[in-house]
Amino acid sequence: MEGGLCVIFREGTERYALALDGVDEVLDPKPISFVPQAPAPCLGVVVHQGLILPVFDVGVLLSEVEGEGSGAPEPVGTGALTRLIVLSYADFRLALQVDRVERIAPLTGAPQPVEAGSRGTAERYLDAVFVEPDGVVTRVNTSALVEGIDRLFER
């Protein structure tokens, strides 16, 4: 079990995994409130269990082209399987909008490094590629992703 227990999800045609130890829960879509002048990956905020959580479009964060995305909020919940993955890391709590959560499972394949230059700027958030029996899954480095999101708000 090289990859440990993960939440495996889809974004577009790609499959990704987040280590389960950073995931609090998976939610059905909730109404999003737009946040003016938020950076492009931020879709807005949702209220969940009395907390205000920023919601980020994982498709923009993990896109190959930096700055992709309009900054305007995308409709949340337009796909029947769209979900919000709530993450906690250090002092941060946030939600990632994903197209579909497939399952919670260990990554059993041997980890391969992310090929340099293969994912553009997004590769800084990815730590390994796993060839699983049902296809390729790229593991997201939760700490790098949260730190990258934090840097977006420093600009």
Side-chain angles (χ1 to χ4, degrees):
M1 280 198 274
E2 281 284 335
L5 205 52
C6 295
V7 174
I8 299 171
F9 65 93
R10 267 193 195 277
E11 184 59 36
T13 60
E14 299 292 323
R15 294 171 69 219
Y16 297 97
L18 284 163
L20 191 59
D21 62 357
V23 175
D24 286 350
E25 56 190 312
V26 176
L27 306 174
D28 288 334
K30 293 178 164 270
I32 266 186
S33 298
F34 178 66
V35 177
Q37 300 180 355
C42 184
L43 298 173
V45 296
V46 295
V47 177
H48 178 63
Q49 296 180 346
L51 297 173
I52 298 173
L53 300 175
V55 178
F56 295 90
D57 185 339
V58 80
V60 174
L61 289 167
L62 300 179
S63 70
E64 294 182 18
V65 181
E66 189 165 15
E68 190 173 297
S70 65
E74 293 293 324
V76 174
T78 55
L81 301 175
T82 299
R83 296 292 180 262
L84 299 176
I85 299 175
V86 179
L87 297 179
S88 287
Y89 180 80
D91 293 334
F92 297 95
R93 191 149 192 239
L94 57 96
L96 299 175
Q97 178 185 312
V98 303
D99 286 345
R100 175 182 175 187
V101 172
E102 290 187 353
R103 66 184 183 278
I104 295 173
L107 295 175
T108 57
Q112 304 296 316
V114 175
E115 196 174 304
S118 66
R119 303 284 183 127
T121 58
E123 72 186 32
R124 67 179 167 241
Y125 303 135
L126 308 173
D127 52 24
V129 176
F130 294 79
V131 178
E132 297 296 305
D134 61 347
V136 174
V137 178
T138 305
R139 186 174 58 198
V140 177
N141 180 321
T142 304
S143 63
L145 183 68
V146 172
E147 289 167 10
I149 288 169
D150 188 39
R151 280 192 299 276
L152 287 172
F153 287 93
E154 292 174 357
R155 296 181 186 169

